[in-house]
Amino acid sequence: MNPEQFREQLLQQGIELSDAQMEQFNQYFTMLVEWNEKMNLTAITERDEVYLKHFYDSISAAFYVDFKDVGMICDVGAGAGFPSIPIKICFPDLDVTIVDSLQKRMTFLDALASELKLENIHFHHARAEEFGQNKAFRGSFDLVTARAVARMSVLTELCLPLVKKGGFFLAMKGMQAEQELKIGAKAIATLGGKVKNHYAFSLPIEESERNLYLIEKVKETPNKYPRKSGTPNKQPIE
């Protein structure tokens, strides 16, 4: 997917990008490739693949969630900024918080935000388990996103504690998502969530399967969750 196809595909979904926004995506791609030579940010560096598998794939969340109605979002384990920074470029009024456990990634994201002149974007170098127990952030976000970070049972424990009651956790998944959801059902219920919607679609061109799960926070998460760092992965709620 070249940049022109990227712009046209988004326009077909009702997302119109200005020349300035297109230039931000160009700068993003350039910095991603440059920094990737010094640190491992992504295995995908070919331009058309970055536009499809990183940029377009991230923004696909906005085909099903109206980000104009969302105030504060948190991206858990964003890596090189996916999905939150492509979404932020498209919807500049969003207030975005990014949490990642690797300092070198945060250094890249901080430099990227400065280069792209992004405002209302906050970076926290922390384990998601610790961040979810921080009273300043727990239960404070309208929407929490995560893309290919961990299996659903683990991801739910990392993300749902951060969502405010009445808000949503958006899990972005590839194949075998239905099986993950079945295994993760206990964790979703335990942590105060309820699956509101499931959206299945294919990425254009390569036709790879994508699944989005929108999980509503219907009751407060018990105080003991998330458990200490590493525990959700070693002893998932299943």
Side-chain angles (χ1 to χ4, degrees):
M1 178 179 281
N2 64 39
E4 293 74 26
Q5 291 170 320
F6 169 73
R7 191 177 199 172
E8 178 57 34
Q9 287 276 353
L10 290 182
L11 187 59
Q12 288 177 20
Q13 295 287 346
I15 299 171
E16 186 172 0
L17 296 181
S18 67
D19 290 345
Q21 286 168 308
M22 286 298 294
E23 179 53 31
Q24 284 178 305
F25 279 110
N26 180 51
Q27 290 173 303
Y28 194 168
F29 167 68
T30 301
M31 281 189 70
L32 182 69
V33 172
E34 284 175 358
W35 282 64
N36 201 60
E37 292 176 2
K38 297 177 277 184
M39 62 178 74
N40 182 27
L41 292 167
T42 176
I44 299 168
T45 55
E46 198 274 319
R47 185 198 66 176
D48 290 9
E49 287 209 343
V50 169
Y51 271 82
L52 175 64
K53 295 179 181 177
H54 282 329
F55 297 166
Y56 184 89
D57 191 31
S58 293
I59 300 162
S60 66
F63 305 162
Y64 306 97
V65 174
D66 188 354
F67 282 93
K68 289 173 185 166
D69 288 343
V70 176
M72 295 175 64
I73 75 168
C74 179
D75 188 3
V76 173
F82 309 119
S84 53
I85 291 185
I87 292 170
K88 170 71 173 169
I89 293 171
C90 293
F91 304 95
D93 293 337
L94 280 173
D95 188 295
V96 174
T97 295
I98 292 179
V99 184
D100 200 275
S101 60
L102 273 184
Q103 181 61 54
K104 64 179 184 178
R105 286 189 197 133
M106 303 315 268
T107 304
F108 165 71
L109 292 172
D110 196 42
L112 178 68
S114 177
E115 179 72 22
L116 302 187
K117 298 181 173 58
L118 300 177
E119 298 177 350
N120 294 321
I121 188 162
H122 324 282
F123 302 108
H124 295 274
H125 172 227
R127 291 288 299 252
E129 297 95 330
E130 296 158 9
F131 195 74
Q133 285 290 1
N134 187 323
K135 288 182 171 60
F137 303 106
R138 183 182 179 89
S140 64
F141 295 97
D142 300 302
L143 183 78
V144 176
T145 64
R147 176 177 175 257
V149 174
R151 62 192 188 277
M152 188 72 88
S153 53
V154 178
L155 206 53
T156 301
E157 185 169 350
L158 303 181
C159 295
L160 261 182
L162 293 165
V163 181
K164 65 166 68 166
K165 191 177 174 183
F168 295 92
F169 161 40
L170 181 67
M172 305 180 72
K173 292 285 182 183
M175 294 171 64
Q176 292 158 340
E178 197 173 335
Q179 184 182 355
E180 269 196 49
L181 187 71
K182 283 177 184 170
I183 297 169
K186 183 180 177 183
I188 292 168
T190 301
L191 292 148
K194 182 181 180 182
V195 179
K196 185 173 184 187
N197 280 310
H198 167 223
Y199 306 102
F201 61 100
S202 297
L203 271 190
I205 300 170
E206 67 171 30
E207 297 296 318
S208 52
E209 183 184 336
R210 292 291 183 270
N211 288 275
L212 300 182
Y213 289 98
L214 194 61
I215 298 165
E216 185 176 6
K217 178 108 166 238
V218 293
K219 60 183 181 183
E220 297 296 346
T221 301
N223 291 333
K224 71 175 183 176
Y225 300 110
R227 293 164 292 168
K228 66 181 182 181
S229 292
T231 305
N233 201 39
K234 289 176 191 163
Q235 301 167 21
I237 306 165
E238 291 176 354

